[in-house]
Structures are given as C-alpha cells and as structure tokens.
Amino acid sequence: SQSVLNGFKKLVIGSSVQSIPSKFMKGNTSLESITFERNSSCKSIGAEAFDKASITEIQLPKSLTHIYAAFEDCTKLEKIVILCDNIQSNANAFYDCGSSGDGIVVTVAANVMLLPSNFLKDCKLKSLVFDGESKCKIIQDGFSNRKFSNVTLPASIESFDKSLFDLKTLSFEEENENYTIKNSCLIALKESKLLAVIDEDYIIPDYVTVITKGAFYESGVKHIYIPDTVLTMENGSLCCPSVESISLPFIGNDRDTPKMLLELFGTDVQYGWIQIDLNAGTTRHERYYVPTKFSKLTVRSNSISNGLVGLSMLKEIHISEDVESIVQTAFKDCGNLTNIYFGGTQEQWDNLKTSGWLEYVSMNVNLTLNAEIET
C-alpha cells in the first residue's frame, strides 16, 4: 500500500515493469532516488506517482511513452535526462519542479526526435542541452512556459517554438540549414521568413521576403524598417508596443487598403495601445489597436491610397520622391499631422497636389522639400 511505501529513500524499477500506477508513492518526501533498470520496458507513469519526492534527478527510459501528472512538487529536482523518443505528457507532469534550487538542467539524448507540448510546463528551468549528434527535429509549441537561455539548437531542428528561448542567447549548430540568426534577426532560411527581431541593432537581409506575425513584438525597437525585397507581411507583423516610426516599401492600393496598415499592427488589445474605429458614426464597426507612441511613417511606394485612414496619432509623414500619386482622402483622419517631408522637387510636389488631398491637411502643417528620405 501507499503507507507501506512511504519512508523509502531509494527506488529501483525493474526492467520488466511496464507501468507505475497513480499515487504509487504520493507524498513520500523521503524518496531521494528513482532508477530505471537498463532495458526498461516501462511505458507509463501515473498521476501523482512521485508527488513531492525529494529526488534531485530523473532519467526517463527510452521505453516511456506517457507521463501523467507524476512528478508534481518535486522542488529539489535539478536534472532531467530525456531518453524516450516517443513521449507524450500531461500538462502538469513536472508541475512546480525545481523551485527550491537554481533550476533544472534538461538533457536530451541523441535518439530523441520530438519534444512535446506542455512537457516542462511550470518548471523552474536552467538550461536545455542536446547530447551527442542529436536527431531532434521538432520542439512543439508550449514545450515549456519558461524561457531557456544559452541554448544551441542542433543541426537536425526543423521546427521549434521561438517563445521558448531567450533569443539574445540562442544559437544554432553551423550545419543547420533551416535557421540562422544574422544581424539580430531570426530567419527561417528555406521559407525566407523573418521570425523575430532580437534587438534595435537589426538589419533585415535582402533575401527575406516574408515578415511573420509578431516578428517585432518583444524586440523593444523604436524604428521599423522593411526593405523593398519584402513581398508579404502577415497580419500582426508590426505588432510592437515600443515602436515610434515605420518605413515601408508599400502601403497598398486595393479596396482593403483602409485597414491594411492597421492589420499589420495586429488586432489584439495591447497594454498602452489605443483603439481605432474605421467606421465611426456608422452602424458598421471595425476596430483596430495601434501603439500610442507611433507618430512617424515613411512611405516609399509609388502611391499613397487610403492606407492612412484612422491613424490619428501620426505627427510626421515622410514621402519618397518615388510616390507619384496620393488619393484625395489619404490623410482625412490624420488630424495631428504637423510635418510633411517630401524627397522630391517643387515641380514633383505640385504634381502630387492635383488630387486635392491637401484639403484634408491642416494649414499649419510644415512642408520640407528635397528631404532626405530613408530608402
């Protein structure tokens, strides 16, 4: 019975044991060591089997496929060695483990190909180490809800959740052909995608053609510059609470343009962001959220259509000399606009005015011609 097993300090699990039942040694705080015999055939460990044990390390055998909430509150745990290559886990398998120490060192054996969701949820973690010539291909979303620092991902990695890692200390083995970190940018090479910007010293390489959702979110950057080589920007790609200015190669000129730029900021409510209603005063409401600090926009496209609708916080607009036309209502809702910088000549400026868009701009706006526009 459980009471008989309480007080044991060491446990050796024989190679013929195929499962460990729930609550097997629940609450046995004296248990300091759990060892699986070589060639273990154990496939599952039940919920609360080793709840509150005082173990400092655990080596999970290759045979293991299921761990339920087995190791909750093992606060002294310092090391987990993962040998199992077909593992599934309950979200609370290691709940609150390692909380009394510096954190858990997680070692992944070379044979392990996948690290599953929720496996290390709510652990206090120290590091993640891939042993030998790793075959690990996938680290699923939510493998942990704490970040790992100073991790080198193996050449075999094909997919991973970027939120699991401190990107400033993340690296890849040289042989990895799927990912790289260059100029403070995390890039998926085969898809030419920018996954994340790491800090303000970034430069997006010219082979990047796609900016993914949330690429700037945790970067802390104040200025976003998207090169002309970028062809696609996912909704939420510009989501960044700290951003103050943006330079884009395009605004867009189709019927969805009025909401395009705002969609790039993302539609989720963010602390410190303000809500824009694109159809205020009508029965149709489309609400978007933009960072309150956003005040400067540089446009390098051939034309400006209605992409500025709703951006009432804009104070500066920088217009490339390549812009040849501006739709009449482009600046209709930019009531706080104070400065316009145009990279072209007086003659080019006069041609731009013909559509009548200046009627919607305050008479007090300052105009600078032949301005140096970031390209």
Side-chain angles (χ1 to χ4, degrees):
S1 69
Q2 178 188 328
S3 60
V4 172
L5 294 174
N6 283 344
F8 275 84
K9 291 187 176 182
K10 295 184 178 181
L11 174 66
V12 177
I13 300 169
S15 59
S16 62
V17 175
Q18 295 195 9
S19 66
I20 298 172
S22 298
K23 301 183 180 181
F24 180 60
M25 283 193 170
K26 176 179 170 59
N28 181 6
T29 57
S30 299
L31 186 61
E32 298 176 350
S33 172
I34 302 172
T35 304
F36 290 85
E37 280 189 341
R38 190 174 181 179
N39 298 321
S40 172
S41 58
C42 186
K43 294 182 178 180
S44 67
I45 305 176
E48 300 179 281
F50 302 110
D51 171 77
K52 294 183 173 63
S54 295
I55 57 173
T56 57
E57 64 179 84
I58 183 70
Q59 182 169 292
L60 304 174
K62 190 176 187 298
S63 58
L64 204 59
T65 58
H66 290 80
I67 302 179
Y68 299 96
F71 295 95
E72 289 190 5
D73 298 313
C74 294
T75 59
K76 296 181 180 180
L77 192 61
E78 298 175 352
K79 183 177 182 180
I80 299 173
V81 179
I82 303 173
L83 300 177
C84 32
D85 52 11
N86 187 24
I87 188 67
Q88 300 178 40
S89 73
N90 177 279
N92 295 317
F94 290 93
Y95 179 79
D96 202 29
C97 285
S99 58
S100 66
D102 295 333
I104 301 170
V105 176
V106 182
T107 300
V108 182
N111 60 288
V112 177
M113 299 182 69
L114 180 147
L115 299 178
S117 296
N118 297 318
F119 191 72
L120 297 178
K121 184 180 179 183
D122 297 309
C123 286
K124 182 179 180 181
L125 301 169
K126 185 176 182 180
S127 62
L128 179 65
V129 179
F130 292 85
D131 194 23
E133 192 171 336
S134 176
K135 297 179 181 178
C136 188
K137 293 184 177 182
I138 300 171
I139 306 175
Q140 290 184 341
D141 295 355
F143 172 68
S144 165
N145 60 350
R146 308 281 181 92
K147 289 184 182 292
F148 289 102
S149 298
N150 300 303
V151 175
T152 299
L153 292 180
S156 55
I157 284 292
E158 297 178 357
S159 175
F160 70 98
D161 176 5
K162 68 180 182 182
S163 68
L164 295 171
F165 303 98
D166 171 15
L167 298 181
K168 291 184 178 181
T169 62
L170 179 67
S171 61
F172 298 88
E173 290 184 347
E174 290 184 7
E175 296 82 2
N176 192 299
E177 298 179 352
N178 298 302
Y179 299 97
T180 189
I181 292 179
K182 183 177 182 180
N183 301 330
S184 293
C185 294
L186 172 61
I187 300 163
L189 292 170
K190 292 184 178 179
E191 299 170 300
S192 301
K193 287 184 176 181
L194 175 69
L195 302 179
V197 170
I198 297 172
D199 57 44
E200 288 195 73
D201 295 326
Y202 76 96
I203 299 174
I204 300 174
D206 58 12
Y207 55 79
V208 169
T209 58
V210 180
I211 311 294
T212 61
K213 180 179 179 180
F216 288 89
Y217 185 67
E218 294 184 324
S219 65
V221 303
K222 294 181 180 179
H223 179 63
I224 292 177
Y225 180 88
I226 306 298
D228 294 353
T229 49
V230 171
L231 303 176
T232 303
M233 297 175 68
E234 296 179 358
N235 286 358
S237 59
L238 298 181
C239 183
C240 180
S242 60
V243 68
E244 296 177 5
S245 64
I246 295 174
S247 180
L248 296 173
F250 59 85
I251 287 294
N253 43 32
D254 57 28
R255 60 172 35 183
D256 291 327
T257 292
K259 60 183 180 180
M260 172 188 167
L261 188 57
L262 296 178
E263 285 179 338
L264 295 180
F265 281 114
T267 56
D268 298 331
V269 180
Q270 303 291 341
Y271 176 75
W273 291 35
I274 61 173
Q275 176 178 285
I276 300 295
D277 187 345
L278 290 184
N279 300 279
T282 71
T283 57
R284 181 186 175 204
H285 297 284
E286 291 182 86
R287 292 182 173 88
Y288 296 85
Y289 297 85
V290 293
T292 55
K293 294 181 180 180
F294 175 56
S295 61
K296 174 185 170 185
L297 174 67
T298 301
V299 181
R300 311 193 309 271
S301 61
N302 294 326
S303 64
I304 299 177
S305 51
N306 292 326
L308 306 183
V309 169
L311 295 184
S312 59
M313 74 296 296
L314 268 188
K315 294 181 180 180
E316 291 185 18
I317 178 74
H318 294 233
I319 304 172
S320 166
E321 63 178 316
D322 295 328
V323 175
E324 298 177 350
S325 65
I326 300 178
V327 169
Q328 184 178 15
T329 56
F331 294 85
K332 182 178 179 180
D333 296 317
C334 299
N336 289 315
L337 198 63
T338 56
N339 289 284
I340 296 177
Y341 297 88
F342 180 59
T345 64
Q346 180 70 55
E347 182 180 357
Q348 289 173 302
W349 177 252
D350 291 339
N351 290 333
L352 272 182
K353 295 192 297 183
T354 56
S355 66
W357 59 272
L358 277 175
E359 296 176 11
Y360 292 97
V361 177
S362 168
M363 295 293 293
N364 297 321
V365 169
N366 298 313
L367 170 65
T368 302
L369 297 176
N370 296 306
E372 187 173 338
I373 305 298
E374 186 176 19
T375 57

